[in-house]
Amino acid sequence: MVMTNSKLIRSDFPILQEKIYGKPLVYLDNAATTQKPRCVVEKLNEGYYRYNANIHRGVHYLSRLATEAHEAARHTVQRFLNAGAPAEIIFTRGTTEAVNMLASSYGKAFMKPGDEVIVSAMEHHSNIVPWQLQGFVLKVIPLTARGEADMDALPGLFTERTRMVAITHVSNVLGTINPVAEIVRIAHRRGVPVFVDGAQAVAHRPVDVQELDVDFYAFSGHKIYAPTGTGVLYGKEKWLEAIPPYQGGGEMIESVSFEKTTYNVLPYKFEAGTPDFIGSTALAVALQYLESVGWDAILSGEERLLTYATERLLATGGIRLFGQARQKSGVISFLPDKVHHYDTGVLLDSMGIAVRTGHHCAEPLMKALGVEGTVRASFALYNTTDEVDALIAGIEKVKSMF
């Protein structure tokens, strides 16, 4: 059944009924982390209370039950992304770990220091620093005046040392939706694989990794209504087979001796140690919850909020908006004239309005925009136009104080 009633949706998120300083909570920091529906938290409780036992190695009943639930969750993620096989789904602690895993493992197999990775000017630090840690050189797709990746500049960035294109699907600052399928076509024509950081995309639009033809795709559970410390790295089987493990330990081995170790089959080769097998099942429930709401409702609702909030901010006057991409997700970054972003965030918080301030882990982008930081409001499926009105009223009050 597809849910369309916003009150029904909000009732699934108990925290939205909380009071902040005696005022109703207006939570607009969803790009940092989303709130969790009751069914996700209940799934965590169920796991710990009913089948908490280490997976894969045990022959007893609880271990078998936990193993079945964990592997069923992998199948749910596979279906959610339309991956070719469950073995292409690697459970991680989030996007950050996924990028570090990829930079290390792919780098060991196919790269050497000085080789190049093409990124965009709007990348999160998590898609910058891991590549630098391995000694790779970043070539940067510049921004247009609209805050879009300059696709005309992309072909000229490829050289004989280009080994990877690593691009965000949706900017966590500008809300820009990058043309992933086009980027993949351009890279693949040159024999270069593509990694996509989907942390800001998967909660807001359907993602089909086979249709996009991406080689790797990652997302974090906590940004898609699932528990913190959960996440996924998707990789085409041919690549996952070809690259070495990221960590060593239990589960990722086939056999161990003091002379030699051989590795387990996919996906376990990349899942050393005891995984968060309780979190993975709750992640699956979060994905199922999202699908029960329905993509049509999510897309139309968030587009309506984005349009409404943008129009209201512009009508307010004295507001600088960042990012006017033609394809944009539900993120708005802005600065009120003559008011520091930090002061704006603190004052809005006193009114019960939660927004994000600062550089949003995107310092190179801030430098390109010519600012130290911005105020960011980001929307989720439970947000309403009434909350946008509260944000606008709060901004007007902040401006009046300066």
Side-chain angles (χ1 to χ4, degrees), residues 199-347:
Q200 298 294 336
V202 289
H204 306 283
R205 60 200 60 256
V207 172
D208 186 327
V209 292
Q210 292 192 77
E211 182 179 0
L212 292 173
D213 198 25
V214 294
D215 299 278
F216 303 95
Y217 196 99
F219 70 87
S220 300
H222 75 98
K223 296 181 190 292
I224 192 170
Y225 311 102
T228 58
T230 63
V232 167
L233 173 65
Y234 156 81
K236 288 181 177 177
E237 191 168 351
K238 68 173 184 178
W239 290 119
L240 295 178
E241 290 284 9
I243 62 180
Y246 176 54
Q247 295 178 316
E251 186 60 31
M252 52 73 64
I253 55 88
E254 179 183 54
S255 66
V256 176
S257 71
F258 289 115
E259 291 74 36
K260 181 181 180 181
T261 294
T262 57
Y263 305 133
N264 206 343
V265 297
L266 294 176
Y268 312 113
K269 182 172 82 169
F270 294 99
E271 294 181 353
T274 299
D276 187 356
F277 56 88
I278 303 294
S280 65
T281 61
L283 169 61
V285 168
L287 302 185
Q288 291 162 349
Y289 178 85
L290 200 65
E291 292 173 327
S292 75
V293 175
W295 285 118
D296 289 344
I298 293 169
L299 288 165
S300 62
E302 293 186 8
E303 177 64 28
R304 184 167 59 250
L305 279 175
L306 176 63
T307 300
Y308 183 70
T310 302
E311 290 174 350
R312 293 235 38 205
L313 279 169
L314 290 173
T316 300
I319 299 286
R320 182 181 175 190
L321 294 183
F322 298 90
Q324 300 290 330
R326 287 161 289 190
Q327 297 293 320
K328 188 174 177 182
S329 189
V331 174
I332 299 180
S333 285
F334 62 92
L335 281 176
D337 289 348
K338 301 178 182 178
V339 188
H340 194 273
H341 55 83
Y342 178 80
D343 294 331
T344 302
V346 169
L347 291 170

Side-chain angles (χ1 to χ4, degrees), residues 38-190:
R38 185 178 283 104
C39 60
V40 167
V41 178
E42 289 174 347
K43 189 64 177 178
L44 290 172
N45 287 338
E46 178 189 19
Y48 283 117
Y49 291 154
R50 291 195 56 241
Y51 51 85
N52 179 37
N54 212 329
I55 62 172
H56 292 142
R57 306 173 189 71
V59 297
H60 59 81
Y61 176 79
L62 288 184
S63 179
R64 296 199 307 271
L65 201 62
T67 299
E68 290 168 3
H70 181 68
E71 293 306 325
R74 197 187 308 275
H75 280 80
T76 297
V77 177
Q78 176 205 354
R79 180 179 52 78
F80 186 81
L81 293 178
N82 193 33
E88 295 182 325
I89 301 300
I90 311 299
F91 284 119
T92 70
R93 291 181 299 155
T95 306
T96 297
E97 184 177 53
V99 186
N100 278 276
M101 178 188 299
L102 182 61
S104 174
S105 295
Y106 186 89
K108 286 178 182 177
F110 296 107
M111 302 178 70
K112 56 183 180 292
D115 282 347
E116 297 168 355
V117 178
I118 295 176
V119 299
S120 78
M122 63 185 82
E123 299 303 319
H124 190 281
H125 294 166
S126 293
N127 198 29
I128 296 173
V129 180
W131 304 105
Q132 293 174 327
L133 284 172
Q134 301 299 323
F136 307 142
V137 176
L138 301 182
K139 305 291 285 294
V140 183
I141 309 170
L143 289 179
T144 68
R146 282 181 171 269
E148 298 171 334
D150 186 349
M151 294 299 291
D152 291 337
L154 174 57
L157 296 176
F158 288 88
T159 73
E160 70 280 355
R161 299 203 70 173
T162 305
R163 299 292 181 265
M164 178 72 71
V165 175
I167 191 88
T168 185
H169 198 160
V170 174
S171 167
N172 73 314
V173 176
L174 305 174
T176 302
I177 303 171
N178 280 316
V180 169
E182 181 182 355
I183 291 169
V184 170
R185 285 193 294 271
I186 291 171
H188 283 183
R189 282 200 296 266
R190 293 161 174 80

